[in-house]
Amino acid sequence: MSPANDPRLRRRTTPEKAGTPEPAPSSTPQPTSGSTSKVLLGVLSIAFSAYVVYDKFTASTDHTQAPLPDAYALCSREGAHPQIYTVDPENPRAQCLLVHGDKFLSAGSLDHVQSSWHETSAGRLQVRYLEPGQMVVPGLSDSHGHVLEYGATKQMPLEGTSTIEETVARVRAYIEADPDILSDKSKYVEGWGWDHTKWLLEEWPTYNAIEADPVLAGRPVVLQSKDGHALWVSHAVLQAMDPIPDAVEGGVIVRDSAGRPTGVFLDNAQDLVIRPEPTYKTLQKRFAATVKDAHAHGLTSVHDAGFNPISLEFFRRYAACPTQIRVYGMKYFDETAAYWGDSFRKIIRAGNNRLSVRSVKIFADGALRSGGAALYEPYADNPETRGFMRVSPELLKDVIPKFMADGWQVNVHAIGDRANGHVLDAFEAALESANVTALRPRLEHAQILAQKDMARFGDLGAVIASVQPTHAISDMWFAEDRLGPERVKGLYAFRSVLDHGARITLGSDFPVEDLNPLAGFYAAITRVSPEGTSPHGPGGWFPEQRMTREEALKGMTIDPAYASFTEDILGSITPGKFADFVVLSKDIMAIPSTEVLSTRVVATFMDGRPVYGSI
């Protein structure tokens, strides 16, 4: 592919369309340790009965807390509408939940949970009550995120800039704020989140913009794009990479008119970039930053979409420590390495059910935002290309059946309709040698689906669509220009996917999008921006593709549990399952959709103990 024909080298010389808003940050307030006391409820002064008392449960941000009783109940107040959504089809709403140790013992009326407790013990049962308007849901899960990468973005966030110069200024401010980095020009400077599609002049940056700043000039600088599909590096990094190959299969080295690398590397070409490996201490800081934000937003489980060797080793060590988040990891597939599916030992529910690595993550194509999604037909805004596959269809048909025959769940990043079609072909090929239904293969993103391929979800019977609703309201502003008026109807077509028999599980792709699961819930049920707008008006972008609230809640609870083989222990408030649950300030199943994003997480519990907030 020549630079002239590459859609990712296009320059947009006009401002964004009038009336097209920038995505706003989540309106959910960011809790701090100082806010914990503000959400404590008043303490009842009278015991409910001889066997029922009322106590205060708290958790501080450093995870030290007052001891909790071994058993307690949390209830809607007498006479109030049941406020506990169990996501258990046999008992969908309950007045109370009962925790004993680290598990749910019962859910139902107060009389029912009291009876359940008395059958187990003659001891006293403590009862707490929800405030009016609050609700309880099972612990929330994000089915597609990047744990350590999110933590890295907290160090130098680059999202939200409108020009190359503004982005460079943020990097300079970061350097100037750190005396160690400022005084040592040999230290690598890394950041994440720049998005050229949001700049007033939509163009790829170059190393010249970095070298033009006197503080940055001469330093090794590596900046990751918002979607994770591009790296922007300084001249010092380019020199360290010399010699740079002419081309990389499944990637692009952006070059100037003279053929010289400009400092931007896309998709597989990113592997050429040299940067130091982070220390274990650095990874610990990144992990802690992610966990803190995850708990503040009600997340108790995350699916990490791509363990490279460094992150895999970190999480092996992590599993041996007492930690407060459940991680389902996907081991990264390197197409240049030898097949390892028959030799690598899977990790299943290690570290007190905190870590599993029993799936492989394969990248089939690039991203729509950067023009790398593999399409059946050429891009509408650049007919010279139809994107590219990062892994050939032949290799997919070879390795996917092998991994599945060796008992691996196979999760494939597939954005374009052509990429999704090739992956479905490989899943069908696996039917000859593996029990596909038992292995629950996943299409990660499943963004653009041709009608002929949507129908194959039902035929295969077990393929999971792992989707990110916030991508839909981010991409809706440019999607039709890129895909055309007909093909765009297959983009983020959640309702069509469900109607064709697929199971949908929701994620955010953090740090590409906000990790707040309520942002995904809102996007799934409204298909409008946080400001209430869309290219099709306030009714939503292709509103016929909206999910119901019940479907969206399942997509954040029981369906991610199913997609990670943990539905027997997680995903619903069901007796015998681990007592992971979240208290929300509003009932998101009943309030107007405009209030969803202002809903706060009051408390997050894991194994029956608070890891954030209080009740």
Side-chain angles (χ1 to χ4, degrees), residues 438-458:
L439 294 170
R440 307 176 188 182
R442 294 166 48 161
L443 281 170
E444 300 298 320
H445 307 303
Q447 283 187 8
I448 312 167
L449 288 163
Q451 191 65 33
K452 63 180 181 180
D453 291 328
M454 277 188 196
R456 298 164 73 189
F457 277 109

Side-chain angles (χ1 to χ4, degrees), residues 387-405:
F388 59 87
M389 295 290 293
R390 290 179 62 170
V391 175
S392 71
E394 293 75 22
L395 185 57
L396 289 174
K397 281 190 175 180
D398 177 43
V399 300
I400 287 178
K402 285 182 179 178
F403 275 114
M404 298 184 80

Side-chain angles (χ1 to χ4, degrees), residues 242-259:
D242 194 61
I244 297 173
D246 293 335
V248 174
E249 185 175 357
V252 172
I253 302 167
V254 180
R255 299 177 184 272
D256 62 19
S257 57

Side-chain angles (χ1 to χ4, degrees), residues 311-394:
S311 56
L312 178 60
E313 181 56 30
F314 172 81
F315 280 101
R316 279 185 186 277
R317 295 177 64 178
Y318 143 85
C321 304
T323 53
Q324 295 293 345
I325 198 81
R326 304 186 196 277
V327 178
Y328 182 75
M330 309 176 199
K331 191 175 186 298
Y332 177 71
F333 171 73
D334 181 354
E335 65 272 16
T336 66
Y339 176 75
W340 46 262
D342 55 353
S343 59
F344 183 86
R345 185 176 180 181
K346 302 177 187 71
I347 302 171
I348 299 177
R349 300 186 184 183
N352 191 27
N353 295 283
R354 292 293 196 265
L355 177 68
S356 288
V357 183
R358 57 177 297 175
S359 63
V360 58
K361 167 72 177 297
I362 301 173
F363 280 89
D365 65 345
L368 181 65
R369 185 182 297 269
S370 55
L375 305 178
Y376 282 125
E377 301 297 332
Y379 279 84
D381 57 352
N382 191 338
E384 299 299 319
T385 183
R386 57 188 189 125
F388 59 87
M389 295 290 293
R390 290 179 62 170
V391 175
S392 71
E394 293 75 22

Side-chain angles (χ1 to χ4, degrees), residues 86-89 103-104 138-139 141 301 303 326 328 348-349 353 356 358 409 437-440 442 462 464 503 505 554 556-580:
T86 67
V87 196
D88 182 340
K103 305 262 192 338
F104 293 117
S141 180
S301 301
H303 299 186
R326 304 186 196 277
Y328 182 75
I348 299 177
R349 300 186 184 183
N353 295 283
S356 288
R358 57 177 297 175
Q409 181 190 47
T437 300
L439 294 170
R440 307 176 188 182
R442 294 166 48 161
I464 297 166
R503 193 161 188 156
T505 182
K554 285 181 60 183
M556 303 189 303
T557 53
I558 192 62
D559 288 336
Y562 176 83
S564 58
F565 303 91
T566 53
E567 74 274 16
D568 60 324
I569 59 171
L570 300 173
S572 64
I573 299 173
T574 301
K577 292 191 178 185
F578 285 107
D580 294 2

Side-chain angles (χ1 to χ4, degrees), residues 60-127:
S60 65
T61 54
D62 65 359
H63 296 164
T64 59
Q65 57 204 36
L68 283 174
D70 187 57
Y72 60 89
L74 177 62
C75 298
S76 310
R77 293 190 181 276
E78 189 174 357
H81 200 59
Q83 294 164 267
I84 297 171
Y85 289 77
T86 67
V87 196
D88 182 340
E90 296 183 6
N91 181 31
R93 297 281 289 274
Q95 180 191 2
C96 299
L97 62 81
L98 172 60
V99 173
H100 183 203
D102 60 358
K103 305 262 192 338
F104 293 117
L105 181 62
S106 181
S109 68
L110 181 56
D111 287 343
H112 176 76
V113 299
Q114 280 185 289
S115 176
S116 299
W117 175 241
H118 296 327
E119 291 174 3
T120 305
S121 170
R124 296 191 302 174
L125 174 65
Q126 296 190 359
V127 176

